[in-house]
Amino acid sequence: MAGPPGAATQVFDPVTHKWVDYDRKKALKYYAAHKEVPEAFRMQMVRFRTAEVPGTIIIDGNQHFLYLVQPNQTAMRYGIGVGRDGFGWAGIVRVGRMSEWPTWTPPAEMVARDPKAAPYAAGMPGGPDNPLGARALYLYEGDHDTIYRIHGTPEPWTIGLDVSSGCLRMNNKDIIDLASRVAVGAKVIVLMQGAALYKGV
């Protein structure tokens, strides 16, 4: 687990047997030492009780987990990075389309507030430095693109943190695995305590 509900991100320290705060500085230090994220945020099959059908994606934003429902009350669980303060959201959407090594085109609002995004207003080609990483699942409400994505990242150490502008980020190897298991049209349920409901949901 990734710490008690309602708290800041925490991980279990197997040495001290205690929950410890997990922030940007500690995440970067851990990744530098181990070349991977803490065990809780690594891809793994878990027991998972739900009435949703296999192939459904359920996102627990508070705990920084994405669950892909599997048969027999199990799910493939992945660690994720979620929206930072003011950018969290919740709702029911669907996978409208998927892309391999996608082009990143920052929305106009991001271009306006972030000088680093401005040079890519017309789009940044896919590649290892692209913020969308190796794959992107584009989230739609009906036939409308929500502008939110489940995507890879060139910053794998940020998994488990509140870091994005509303998109849900995963390690590149995890998003490649997820994309290989998911169908366009799959239902996506995003749960996040205290988040704004997505407009139209």
Side-chain angles (χ1 to χ4, degrees), residues 75-174:
M76 188 64 76
R77 189 181 79 188
Y78 309 84
I80 57 173
V82 301
R84 59 187 184 273
D85 285 350
F87 290 90
W89 62 282
I92 300 173
V93 291
R94 69 179 181 88
V95 177
R97 66 184 182 94
M98 294 189 280
S99 181
E100 187 173 319
W101 293 107
T103 297
W104 175 60
T105 305
E109 303 82 23
M110 180 182 287
V111 172
R113 71 172 179 266
D114 185 354
K116 293 180 181 177
Y120 304 109
M124 178 183 184
D129 297 323
N130 188 295
L132 294 181
R135 303 287 185 276
L137 280 58
Y138 295 76
L139 303 181
Y140 280 53
E141 195 275 316
D143 293 327
H144 173 69
D145 186 344
T146 67
I147 77 162
Y148 295 121
R149 320 278 184 244
I150 302 170
H151 62 78
T153 179
E155 299 175 326
W157 56 271
T158 61
I159 301 306
L161 301 175
D162 300 349
V163 289
S164 77
S165 296
C167 287
L168 305 153
R169 64 173 64 178
M170 302 172 66
N171 280 323
N172 278 332
K173 64 179 176 140
D174 288 358

Side-chain angles (χ1 to χ4, degrees), residues 88-91 195-201:
W89 62 282
L197 284 175
Y198 173 69
K199 179 181 176 184
V201 176

Side-chain angles (χ1 to χ4, degrees), residues 41-122:
F41 299 124
R42 299 174 203 163
M43 180 175 63
Q44 54 196 283
M45 189 72 75
V46 297
R47 297 295 301 169
F48 190 74
R49 295 189 64 182
T50 180
E52 299 295 336
V53 300
T56 302
I57 293 172
I58 300 176
I59 290 163
D60 181 344
N62 296 326
Q63 299 294 313
H64 301 88
F65 292 140
L66 180 153
Y67 296 90
L68 177 62
V69 178
Q70 302 289 293
N72 304 315
Q73 301 296 310
T74 62
M76 188 64 76
R77 189 181 79 188
Y78 309 84
I80 57 173
V82 301
R84 59 187 184 273
D85 285 350
F87 290 90
W89 62 282
I92 300 173
V93 291
R94 69 179 181 88
V95 177
R97 66 184 182 94
M98 294 189 280
S99 181
E100 187 173 319
W101 293 107
T103 297
W104 175 60
T105 305
E109 303 82 23
M110 180 182 287
V111 172
R113 71 172 179 266
D114 185 354
K116 293 180 181 177
Y120 304 109

